[in-house]
Amino acid sequence: MENQVAFVSMPSADEFRAVRAATVKALENAGYRVCGDWSVLESGRPWQTEILDALASADVIVADVTGPRDNVIYEIGYAHGRRKPVILIGRPDSLSTLPSYLRNYQVLLYKPDDFEELTYLIYQSVKRLTSRNAR
Amino acid sequence: MSAAKKCFVVMPFRPEFRYFYLYVSAHLKEEYGLEVERGDDRIESRPIAEKVRRQIREADIILGDVTGANPNVFYELGLADAMEKPMFLLTQDDVEKVPVDVRALELIRYSLDDEKALRDKLHKALSNFLWERYKELYEQGRQFLRQYNKDTGANYEPVCEKDFELAMVQAERIQSIPVDDDDALRGFLLPKIIGPALLDVNLMERMQSWWVKTSRHSRKMPRKRRGMVKATAAATPRGAASTGRKRGNARARRGL
């Protein structure tokens, strides 16, 4: 089977660098190719086109709802509009600020200094998706 | 094609937007004949999210207000973007505060104390959108008029694009455009492309009989009925009502 593609929707601030790395690691371990990362974006194309194309081509989206950031919420809406599975992650306090549209989705919570459990949870989630798609 | 175009409004549900929504929806309805809707203000369960998704899917155009960066608004805009709906965004904030994902879209800055500026900007954005839809029909209407001029030796000029658009918006409030019936479309477009000149009853009659003569099924039509078409057209001066009649008769004839 060809590599499945995952998109990581996360604030670009430095404080999210570690959780992004952990997320990417979990996805790659599960056999996914990660797109939509700063380093993978083609240069010379409008930012928005690039992001939305990446989203549209992804098989799964992992989105960090800490904050939440407007861009992330927009990208989740876009992914839902395309009927893509979206895995939500966030710090414990993100539950209280979750937009009402997302309140009936599970959020995988992580502590800002410990990503081991998160890596495991994301791995499990996408693995479940892969096996569901394979069936 | 349904009678009225649907506009879905994405706006925060805070009370201060309530009046603004009422104002904007009344304005869009009156000026552009749009049917305006927005999501429910209690989005707590799955069925309501589904309802909003359906409303967006059915909309022809999305008007979003990103003032104050409300997450639910961005979620709905993301949904609409994925469904490739044309979107117009309003904001009271500086453009720098608007997230990059939507900054590329048409953004209308407004302030609550300048109603006229808002109306002007809305008009510019919306008429481009509406014109996209009417452009082809305008060309078709001009073609019909050329044909009429050629057949009858008349020399009528088409109305300008702006007047045509206005006539179309008004007509669409009452009926849908008969795009899949050439005769009916001709009867629908001619009065709009010729404009005020049609107030001349004689011209109207001439045009009417030309229309009847050149319609596909005119030869099969009994004399009595042809007379009726004339009579109704003469009784209803111009615009949508008279073309509506014509369309009805075209249908009746096809049934013969």
Side-chain angles (χ1 to χ4, degrees):
Chain A
M1 196 173 72
E2 212 178 293
N3 253 10
Q4 301 250 50
V5 179
F7 180 91
V8 179
S9 175
M10 205 172 275
S12 51
D14 277 351
E15 52 177 312
F16 289 94
R17 194 170 286 174
V19 65
R20 176 183 279 275
T23 305
V24 169
K25 190 176 130 200
L27 289 166
E28 285 175 351
N29 283 346
Y32 279 76
R33 184 169 66 79
V34 177
C35 69
D37 200 346
W38 293 84
S39 54
V40 196
L41 291 178
E42 264 177 63
S43 52
R45 292 182 69 205
W47 169 247
Q48 191 201 17
T49 321
E50 191 71 25
I51 292 286
L52 297 184
D53 280 359
L55 263 172
S57 70
D59 300 292
V60 63
I61 287 92
V62 179
D64 193 319
V65 292
T66 307
R69 303 297 168 100
D70 302 326
N71 283 327
V72 172
I73 299 300
Y74 187 84
E75 285 157 21
I76 296 172
Y78 189 91
H80 280 167
R82 294 272 170 131
R83 304 265 180 201
K84 307 270 183 186
V86 182
I87 296 167
L88 303 181
I89 63 171
R91 293 183 197 158
D93 58 355
S94 63
L95 284 182
S96 57
T97 53
L98 206 59
S100 43
Y101 278 117
L102 300 179
R103 268 186 211 143
N104 43 24
Y105 288 88
Q106 187 192 11
V107 180
L108 307 179
L109 298 175
Y110 65 88
K111 292 185 211 85
D113 51 356
D114 175 19
F115 303 113
E116 212 164 289
E117 196 190 352
L118 178 73
T119 311
Y120 176 73
L121 287 174
I122 292 175
Y123 177 85
Q124 288 293 322
S125 296
V126 292
K127 270 289 177 197
R128 269 202 299 276
L129 276 176
T130 320
S131 62
R132 203 167 63 195
N133 291 343
R135 249 183 275 150
Chain B
M1 208 180 275
S2 77
K5 297 287 116 189
K6 282 188 183 164
C7 174
F8 186 73
V9 175
V10 179
M11 218 176 247
F13 293 116
R14 292 202 303 275
E16 64 264 36
F17 281 95
R18 177 86 193 135
Y19 289 104
F20 184 62
Y21 169 70
L22 290 175
Y23 167 77
V24 169
S25 59
H27 176 67
L28 294 179
K29 201 170 176 175
E30 255 169 53
E31 287 290 313
Y32 306 98
L34 294 170
E35 194 181 297
V36 186
E37 269 191 331
R38 76 168 177 173
D40 226 277
D41 48 350
R42 283 181 44 210
I43 311 141
E44 276 149 20
S45 60
R46 184 120 198 135
I48 294 171
E50 282 303 319
K51 186 186 151 208
V52 168
R53 184 192 278 271
R54 199 192 61 235
Q55 285 176 310
I56 293 175
R57 200 187 308 118
E58 287 170 0
D60 299 289
I61 180 172
I62 310 289
L63 185 70
D65 194 322
V66 294
T67 308
N70 178 297
N72 284 317
V73 166
F74 286 116
Y75 182 81
E76 287 182 35
L77 291 177
L79 275 178
D81 195 359
M83 297 183 204
E84 292 172 351
K85 298 289 176 181
M87 294 198 270
F88 298 104
L89 300 186
L90 298 171
T91 183
Q92 293 175 38
D93 304 330
D94 290 333
V95 178
E96 295 77 58
K97 281 193 187 159
V98 177
V100 277
D101 278 322
V102 298
R103 221 181 273 172
L105 297 169
E106 182 142 13
L107 200 61
I108 300 170
R109 271 200 74 201
Y110 73 100
S111 110
L112 285 176
D113 51 21
D114 193 347
E115 186 197 346
K116 181 157 186 317
L118 171 65
R119 291 171 86 112
D120 287 350
K121 286 179 187 171
L122 266 179
H123 182 74
K124 224 175 120 197
L126 282 169
S127 42
N128 285 341
F129 163 73
L130 291 173
W131 188 244
E132 274 302 305
R133 296 187 46 238
Y134 294 144
K135 208 158 53 184
E136 203 182 315
L137 291 166
Y138 183 67
E139 271 319 307
Q140 253 170 314
R142 282 166 53 129
Q143 244 173 47
F144 291 149
L145 186 60
R146 269 200 295 278
Q147 190 59 44
Y148 174 77
N149 283 339
K150 203 178 137 201
D151 286 359
T152 61
N155 195 21
Y156 290 102
E157 291 284 323
V159 294
C160 68
E161 296 179 348
K162 204 171 163 244
D163 288 347
F164 179 76
E165 181 189 312
L166 202 71
M168 291 299 286
V169 167
Q170 280 170 355
E172 273 206 284
R173 275 178 223 172
I174 306 165
Q175 63 173 117
S176 54
I177 306 171
V179 277
D180 40 9
D181 179 338
D182 204 50
D183 286 340
L185 185 63
R186 206 152 44 97
F188 177 85
L189 289 179
L190 267 175
K192 278 130 204 120
I193 201 79
I194 202 158
L198 205 68
L199 285 174
D200 176 356
V201 179
N202 291 327
L203 166 62
M204 195 161 54
E205 287 228 5
R206 283 199 302 276
M207 194 167 265
Q208 185 68 41
S209 55
W210 173 77
W211 179 80
V212 170
K213 230 185 293 172
T214 50
S215 287
R216 256 171 300 156
H217 305 281
S218 62
R219 291 212 177 79
K220 288 183 199 158
M221 194 172 67
R223 221 160 251 291
K224 215 167 122 196
R225 229 170 230 278
R226 203 185 294 184
M228 250 173 63
V229 177
K230 256 186 185 172
T232 41
T236 47
R238 69 180 272 252
S242 79
T243 50
R245 270 318 160 101
K246 277 187 225 161
R247 195 164 60 123
N249 280 319
R251 289 239 169 92
R253 280 202 309 284
R254 233 173 298 128
L256 283 175

